[in-house]
């Protein structure tokens, strides 16, 4: 009994102190706030999962499509009905043209690896296959919108993005002019509005799509893309050619140069 009274008196004495109750309230408020933040973070994660596109598609090898008699076309029906709102970044172009080929995203300036077409009235429009081929990618990206890639053989691939919908699926064989989807807007290039982003790649290196138009796959395969990797290859070749041949013997008839005495002019700038 005495122990119970002592403990009760201790609690009462403790509660009489001014700092106890505020401390209890602060501890309770901190616990409540932590619970709210935890629940909110769970909701944010669920929202992120809702906009994710599921597992990333892997490009599977497909049988080549006969495109010997075809040449590349633009992914729109009539170019005069559209505005070109994005151009390809060319490392050899003038500075003002390069500036037009830059996309500003997330506080970064990114080189445009393709071209972008938008309708004059900013309405959606059908996007067509530039050439026959096999669809190797058909998926939704949280930044780019729906993305479609088509393999045309010989390492040549076309890329279409900023689509609001798709009419094809991975593994499907399509013909030139088939509608692959509808142009839309995306989070990556909001300034372009409703548009389609179109790329042509040769062995994984982006080339200017306008250089590929009216060319065949065979012509494009022979075309040297102005990519970063190609530039590095050229630099490496140049360095190799400039290296002296270690196995080359000096000319026996060539006399070694003798040190000539320095003239007075040569000595003017020297100090002892």
């Amino acid at each position: 009994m005495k122990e119970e009274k002592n403990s009760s008196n201790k609690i009462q004495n403790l509660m009489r102190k001014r700092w106890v109750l505020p401390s209890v309230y602060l501890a309770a408020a901190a616990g409540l706030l932590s619970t709210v933040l935890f629940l909110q973070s769970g909701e944010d994660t669920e929202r992120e999962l809702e906009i994710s596109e599921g597992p990333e598609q892997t490009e599977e090898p497909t049988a080549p499509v006969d495109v010997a008699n075809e040449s590349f076309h633009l992914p729109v029906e009539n170019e005069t009905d559209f505005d070109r709102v994005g151009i390809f970044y060319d490392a050899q172009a003038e500075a003002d043209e390069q500036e037009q080929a830059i996309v500003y995203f997330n506080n970064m300036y990114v080189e445009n690896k393709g071209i972008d077409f938008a309708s004059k009235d900013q309405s959606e429009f059908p996007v067509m296959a530039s050439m026959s081929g096999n669809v190797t990618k058909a998926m939704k990206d949280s930044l780019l919108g729906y993305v479609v890639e088509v393999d045309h053989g010989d390492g040549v691939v076309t890329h279409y993005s900023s689509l609001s919908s798709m009419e094809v699926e991975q593994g499907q064989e399509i013909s030139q002019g088939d509608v692959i989807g509808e142009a839309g807007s995306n989070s990556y290039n909001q300034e372009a509005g409703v548009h389609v982003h179109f790329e042509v790649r040769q062995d994984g290196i982006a080339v200017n799509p306008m250089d590929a138009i009216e060319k065949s796959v065979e012509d494009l395969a022979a075309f040297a893309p102005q990519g970063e990797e190609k530039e590095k290859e050229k630099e490496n070749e140049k360095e190799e050619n400039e290296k002296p041949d270690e196995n080359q013997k000096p000319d026996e008839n060539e006399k070694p140069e003798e040190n000539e005495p320095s003239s007075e002019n040569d000595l003017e700038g020297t100090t002892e």
Side-chain angles (χ1 to χ4, degrees):
M1 292 294 291
K2 291 182 179 180
E3 292 179 357
E4 291 181 359
K5 288 182 179 180
N6 291 334
S7 60
S8 176
N9 291 334
K10 288 180 180 180
I11 294 174
Q12 291 178 359
N13 293 333
L14 184 64
M15 295 300 292
R16 289 194 185 99
K17 296 182 178 180
R18 296 180 179 180
W19 56 267
V20 173
L21 288 178
S23 299
V24 173
Y25 292 146
L26 288 174
L32 181 61
L33 181 60
S34 300
T35 304
V36 172
L37 291 175
F38 176 79
L39 294 175
Q40 187 175 3
S41 64
E43 292 177 358
D44 293 339
T45 304
E46 290 178 359
R47 292 194 190 102
E48 292 175 1
L49 292 175
E50 287 176 1
I51 64 173
S52 65
E53 284 63 52
E56 184 178 355
Q57 294 182 346
T58 56
E59 298 183 7
E60 300 178 356
T62 55
V65 176
D66 185 12
V67 293
N69 298 322
E70 294 182 5
S71 59
F72 285 96
H73 292 175
L74 291 174
V76 293
E77 188 172 4
N78 189 356
E79 184 181 2
T80 58
D81 294 336
F82 299 89
D83 293 326
R84 198 187 307 177
V85 295
I87 61 176
F88 180 81
Y89 183 91
D90 186 353
Q92 309 300 325
E94 298 293 334
D96 57 344
E97 184 177 340
Q98 290 180 345
E99 186 177 351
Q100 298 175 24
I102 294 294
V103 178
Y104 183 74
F105 170 72
N106 197 22
N107 295 325
M108 296 184 299
Y109 294 94
V110 186
E111 299 172 0
N112 194 355
K113 298 299 183 181
I115 55 178
D116 303 87
F117 288 98
S119 58
K120 295 183 181 296
D121 60 357
Q122 276 294 294
S123 61
E124 294 188 356
F125 56 89
V127 176
M128 297 175 294
S130 176
M131 180 178 281
S132 301
N134 289 300
V135 178
T136 56
K137 179 180 290 186
M139 60 177 291
K140 185 177 182 182
D141 185 270
S142 58
L143 291 178
L144 305 178
Y146 285 99
V147 178
V148 174
E149 291 185 359
V150 183
D151 182 9
H152 308 287
D154 289 335
V156 178
V157 174
T158 51
H159 167 100
Y160 314 79
S161 60
S162 189
L163 304 177
S164 63
S165 62
M166 293 187 304
E167 300 295 333
V168 297
E169 58 185 14
Q170 186 180 14
Q172 180 180 343
E173 182 177 323
I174 60 175
S175 301
Q176 187 177 50
D178 285 351
V179 175
I180 62 174
E182 289 283 322
S185 57
N186 60 25
S187 301
Y188 173 70
N189 190 359
Q190 296 181 357
E191 291 184 1
V194 177
H195 71 287
V196 59
H197 178 74
F198 176 59
E199 294 183 16
V200 179
R201 300 170 183 167
Q202 169 67 42
D203 294 329
I205 301 175
V207 300
N208 191 337
M210 299 308 296
D211 292 338
I213 301 305
E214 303 303 332
K215 286 186 174 66
S216 65
V217 167
E218 185 178 354
D219 294 335
L220 190 63
F223 175 74
Q226 298 299 318
E228 184 177 343
E229 296 182 9
K230 290 293 181 182
E231 292 296 329
K232 289 181 180 179
E233 289 179 5
K234 291 180 181 179
E235 291 178 2
N236 293 335
E237 290 178 2
K238 185 177 180 181
E239 291 177 359
E240 289 294 331
N241 294 333
E242 292 177 352
K243 286 183 179 179
D245 189 356
E246 297 179 354
N247 297 325
Q248 184 177 358
K249 296 181 179 180
D251 189 355
E252 295 179 355
N253 298 324
E254 184 179 354
K255 295 181 179 180
E257 296 181 358
E258 296 181 357
N259 293 331
E260 297 181 357
S262 301
S263 63
E264 294 181 0
N265 294 333
D266 294 335
L267 298 175
E268 285 180 356
T270 61
T271 56
E272 294 181 359

